[in-house]
Amino acid sequence: MALFFKAPLDIEIRLEGEDTRQHVDVKGEKGRRESVPLYVDGESVKGSVTIRPRDGKRLEHLGIKVQFFGSIEMSHDRGMHDNFLSLAQELAAPAELRHPETFEFEFKNVEKQYESYLGINVKLRYYVRVTVLRRMADVVRDKDLWVYSYRMPPEGISSIKMDVGIEDCLHIEFEYSKSRYHLKDVIVGRIYFLLVRLKIKHMELSIIRRETVGSPPNQHNESDTLVRFEIMDGAPVRGETIPIRLFLGGFDLTPTFRDVNKKFSTRTFLSLVLIDEDARRYFKQSEIILYRQ
């Protein structure tokens, strides 16, 4: 029978201005939603740590430290964290606690070079960790925060023009006004039917995020359909034009990630899908760049 020992102390981590700071709602352990305070690149991370001995007993410790980490965690490699950011401060030397004590900490002007990300197989996480060193077993508490990375928009605004064709059966041109969008942007485009000899039942536009983890030959790809938007129901005719207007602000999107710390990337695609009366599917994908503005 396994025995579980209750920690002889409580650790409370409070971030300065936490109650008034903007929060981000993210998926936590076991699918629960958690509200996490939001930070940006270059912002200081400061707060306080309160250590409370339990049951009024005196508590001996070998020191107390606080750390600030930025790490990349892979679901296929549990227990292995790649820390791209690691800062530490000593809060207290070895001593004995009889009453609750509070310690202040501050990590000034911290460079947070990547945006927080929670994907299918990878998590980019920032957190404060407090460790009370003990002879028997250290007591550790973590507190997560979320980071947004605001960047200048990529240069150049090029439109996307593609066509879908099946010889003597189908020829469709579709065009989007640009290939780069901020996360609250609007996708504007049109679909033009040049030749229609198939019995098209309906057509939909999807936004797909493709997550790539690792590097060849041990690379793993996984795709997730974030948005599915029906743009036509019924058979089109030759010469018909269907306008597209898709507001991105209502969807759970993330910026495009390019080879983050040589660990993972994410790419976003617009996928146009046509389905005929025999349930056959015809599709064409085009990559778009997403950024936070």
Side-chain angles (χ1 to χ4, degrees):
M1 182 176 67
L3 295 176
F4 297 94
F5 296 96
K6 194 174 183 180
L9 58 92
D10 290 315
I11 301 174
E12 181 185 12
I13 306 171
R14 294 286 299 173
L15 297 171
E16 185 179 76
E18 183 177 343
D19 295 335
T20 56
R21 179 180 289 274
Q22 184 180 345
H23 280 59
V24 177
D25 191 38
V26 299
K27 186 186 293 184
E29 295 294 328
K30 300 179 181 178
R32 291 192 296 265
R33 305 298 294 186
E34 297 178 4
S35 184
V36 182
L38 178 63
Y39 284 74
V40 296
D41 182 25
E43 189 175 3
S44 297
V45 177
K46 61 190 299 188
S48 63
V49 177
T50 302
I51 310 294
R52 296 185 180 90
R54 282 191 175 152
D55 305 322
K57 297 179 180 178
R58 66 185 180 87
L59 173 75
E60 291 184 1
H61 65 81
L62 302 177
I64 303 171
K65 65 180 178 179
V66 60
Q67 296 164 282
F68 183 60
F69 289 113
S71 71
I72 299 173
E73 304 173 2
M74 309 289 186
S75 61
H76 67 276
D77 200 6
R78 294 193 179 278
M80 294 296 292
H81 299 173
D82 180 66
N83 293 330
F84 58 84
L85 172 64
S86 179
L87 302 172
Q89 292 177 8
E90 297 296 328
L91 295 181
E96 183 180 279
L97 287 181
R98 293 182 178 273
H99 306 286
E101 284 198 35
T102 298
F103 307 91
E104 307 291 328
F105 68 89
E106 180 176 9
F107 298 102
K108 289 187 176 182
N109 307 323
V110 182
E111 180 187 4
K112 310 173 196 70
Q113 62 187 116
Y114 306 121
E115 176 155 326
S116 297
Y117 173 72
L118 179 58
I120 301 171
N121 292 306
V122 64
K123 180 178 184 179
L124 195 153
R125 177 188 177 209
Y126 292 90
Y127 58 100
V128 175
R129 168 169 289 175
V130 174
T131 305
V132 179
L133 302 167
R134 303 263 296 156
R135 281 195 178 87
M136 292 291 291
D138 297 342
V139 182
V140 180
R141 292 289 182 276
D142 291 348
K143 187 176 185 70
D144 282 84
L145 52 90
W146 202 261
V147 170
Y148 278 171
S149 183
Y150 295 92
R151 300 289 184 233
M152 294 295 291
E155 293 183 3
I157 301 178
S158 58
S159 61
I160 299 175
K161 293 182 180 181
M162 289 191 296
D163 59 4
V164 177
I166 301 173
E167 190 173 358
D168 297 328
C169 293
L170 181 70
H171 187 191
I172 299 172
E173 288 183 350
F174 62 101
E175 179 179 359
Y176 305 114
S177 60
K178 55 187 179 180
S179 59
R180 297 169 170 84
Y181 299 88
H182 62 78
L183 299 184
K184 304 296 182 184
D185 216 334
V186 183
I187 294 176
V188 177
R190 67 176 186 88
I191 299 169
Y192 184 58
F193 292 87
L194 296 168
L195 175 65
V196 184
R197 290 178 178 164
L198 291 175
K199 293 183 178 180
I200 303 296
K201 187 176 181 181
H202 76 271
M203 183 164 52
E204 61 189 30
L205 183 66
S206 299
I207 299 179
I208 297 170
R209 181 167 62 215
R210 184 171 302 150
E211 184 181 275
T212 302
V213 177
S215 55
N218 301 312
Q219 196 171 70
H220 184 73
N221 293 291
E222 192 109 30
S223 295
D224 186 19
T225 300
L226 306 175
V227 180
R228 184 174 281 113
F229 178 68
E230 187 172 284
I231 53 178
M232 188 194 71
D233 187 14
V237 297
R238 181 178 177 179
E240 186 172 356
T241 299
I242 296 177
I244 295 173
R245 197 170 187 86
L246 180 60
F247 293 85
L248 299 179
F251 305 118
D252 187 19
L253 303 176
T254 62
T256 298
F257 289 83
R258 295 287 194 193
D259 197 23
V260 176
N261 215 39
K262 302 191 182 301
K263 294 295 181 181
F264 77 97
S265 300
T266 66
R267 301 168 69 193
T268 305
F269 295 87
L270 286 176
S271 178
L272 182 69
V273 181
L274 293 87
I275 302 169
D276 68 14
E277 290 187 344
D278 296 321
R280 288 176 296 202
R281 299 169 71 89
Y282 310 91
F283 66 92
K284 191 86 170 184
Q285 289 187 353
S286 177
E287 184 175 5
I288 59 173
I289 306 299
L290 297 178
Y291 60 95
R292 189 175 300 282
Q293 178 174 283

